[in-house]
Amino acid sequence: MDETANVEQPSVPLGVLLADPGLGLTQVAGPAAADRTVGTVGTTELEDPTPYLVGGEFLLTSGVRLPDDADGIDTYVRRVVAAGVAALGFGVAPVHAEVPPALVRSCDRHGLPLLRLPPATPFVAVGQAAYAAIAASRNRELREISRAQSALASAAARPDALRSVLGQLAAHTGAWSVLYDAQGTELLSAGHRPASAHLLRDLAVRTLRRDAGPTAAAVHDADLGVHLTVHTLPAGDGRTTTATLALGQAAATPPTVVHRQVTGTATVLLALLTSPRHALSTDTHSVGALVLLMLGATPAEVAPALIPGDGSVAGGSAAGGSVAGGAVAGGAVAGGHWTVVHGRHRDGAPATAGPAQLATLSGLLGTPYVHIDGPALKALVPCAADAGPRVSDRAADLGWTLGYSAPATAGDLPHADIQAGRALQRALATGAPAVVHTTDPLTLHALVAPADARDLARTRFAPLDEAGSPGAPVLLGTLRTWLTLHGSWDRTATALGVHRNTVRHRLARVADLLDLDLQDPGTRMELWFALQWLPGEAPHQHP
């Protein structure tokens, strides 16, 4: 592997000039000219033109001062090849009636394409044709860049902005495009994943380690036939990075000037979308809501400040605009409903999640209101009253297990928070990537008056108030989880993060204080019903 820095100048394939019928060029020696590119056309009759060459020229000569002997001709060809000349054009007549055979042999020997110019083709016509072709190629590039930049800008305004920008980048470059966070964790990707994906991640990690600000690195792996490129995304201070954008591209289609321009635009957009200001939604609506909460406002009073009247979610820059393409507009805004999400990271997340991680999860969950604290996640997702949550498989790929509440008004958010927590416990215990809280209106709850049910619950669990450590709330939580998991000691221990003997001890304490046999199915049914009506609980179908 060799790290490379490639600055591409405007050029035209030599094959374009060969194919121009007005020029009448023919190749008489050297490798395939169609594979060479020409940056400029130069004319010379010097014995040694190399001091005046910069490389990439299509060098034209009529051989006025071409050496007469084969050794001299060979020296001439060797010099221009060393100077980086792309091809040599030889004009026959009036000096030479035909291309000298020694020149043909020498160009073959040194790998220099040799083209014959007929007497009717002026040297200046070759230059005009080359520059016209370069200008036409440049115009095509500019149009392609403009189309790609427009598509990227539109993608950045979508709800799933990060994924959409990566998708457009992959479509316009043909490269596998992947976003890594500051720890080298793959957040999102688009395009065909190459076999060299692990090399791309290694390059991203190495670039991050030596990074002191925005930078880029490129590697060409001849064995695997790929070009690997990494761009770091600067944070707001311009010195640190929030993430890296990496691209893996087949060697058969190496990065062009268009690819580099498009990648540059995508890098800027992704840097903005993963910057702390965007990822953390520091907008006036969110700040105003925070001020109201700190001054004692209720969630129901604050909720309207979080959803502007145009239907877009405040702070939507993290998710790229309105959630789910305006799915929360209209009914959701008027109804003011929310889904609460709880999450747990399987490997233990960092103490403070980076902006790139937050921006990615915001886009996946469809909300800018995401809070990560160590391995735990909580989020508020605006939704319609009858809309189910948008469960993200990609969140599971990133190591998150999620629990979703039923849609709730701002005033019912505490109950929705409990629902999301229990849904998460079920997901952790069963190994499911996500669990959504559901309610069935045709239940026993509908047959019992709410006031009677609450009296039953208070009476049934009153003896637990006399319990010592760990206290009634812990005992009730253990009982609830155990009943939810059908009396499984091991799964209850997993869900609560305690030892199975701790679960047994707590439930034995509950059975003793309530004077009940927890192995009796009827008792379990009665306890489960009563648990739903404890203070702080509210079955969805009851006020």
Side-chain angles (χ1 to χ4, degrees), residues 51-203:
Y52 308 98
L53 301 175
V54 296
E57 295 93 350
F58 181 21
L59 191 62
L60 306 180
T61 181
S62 60
V64 173
R65 304 191 64 177
L66 188 71
D68 295 329
D69 60 298
D71 289 342
I73 290 177
D74 194 72
T75 299
Y76 177 88
V77 172
R78 188 170 63 251
R79 285 173 175 171
V80 297
V81 168
V85 167
L88 185 65
F90 194 88
V92 298
V95 180
H96 294 269
E98 194 50 71
V99 180
L103 183 60
V104 173
R105 291 192 298 272
S106 185
C107 286
D108 278 331
R109 182 180 305 114
H110 295 288
L112 180 65
L114 175 61
L115 277 63
R116 178 185 183 277
L117 278 70
T121 300
F123 285 7
V124 68
V126 178
Q128 289 175 340
Y131 298 135
I134 290 174
S137 175
R138 184 57 178 162
N139 286 335
R140 287 193 298 272
E141 291 174 348
L142 291 175
R143 288 194 296 271
E144 186 176 347
I145 290 170
S146 178
R147 287 194 297 268
Q149 289 177 335
S150 177
L152 287 169
S154 297
R158 288 178 53 84
D160 53 345
L162 292 176
R163 187 187 296 276
S164 297
V165 169
L166 286 176
Q168 288 296 330
L169 179 60
H172 286 277
T173 62
W176 182 57
S177 306
V178 56
L179 186 66
Y180 295 105
D181 67 10
Q183 287 72 44
T185 302
E186 180 183 326
L187 300 177
L188 295 168
S189 65
H192 176 68
R193 181 185 293 267
S196 57
H198 63 289
L199 298 178
L200 197 57
R201 182 188 179 280
D202 292 344
L203 178 61

Side-chain angles (χ1 to χ4, degrees), residues 496-517:
L496 296 177
V498 298
H499 194 276
R500 68 194 306 271
N501 289 340
T502 301
V503 174
R504 287 182 177 275
H505 176 75
R506 290 177 182 175
L507 292 177
R509 182 67 174 150
V510 170
D512 181 58
L513 289 171
L514 300 183
D515 192 21
L516 293 173
D517 178 10

Side-chain angles (χ1 to χ4, degrees), residues 430-444:
T430 60
V435 168
V436 179
H437 176 82
T438 58
T439 56
D440 184 357
L442 300 177
T443 66
L444 186 62

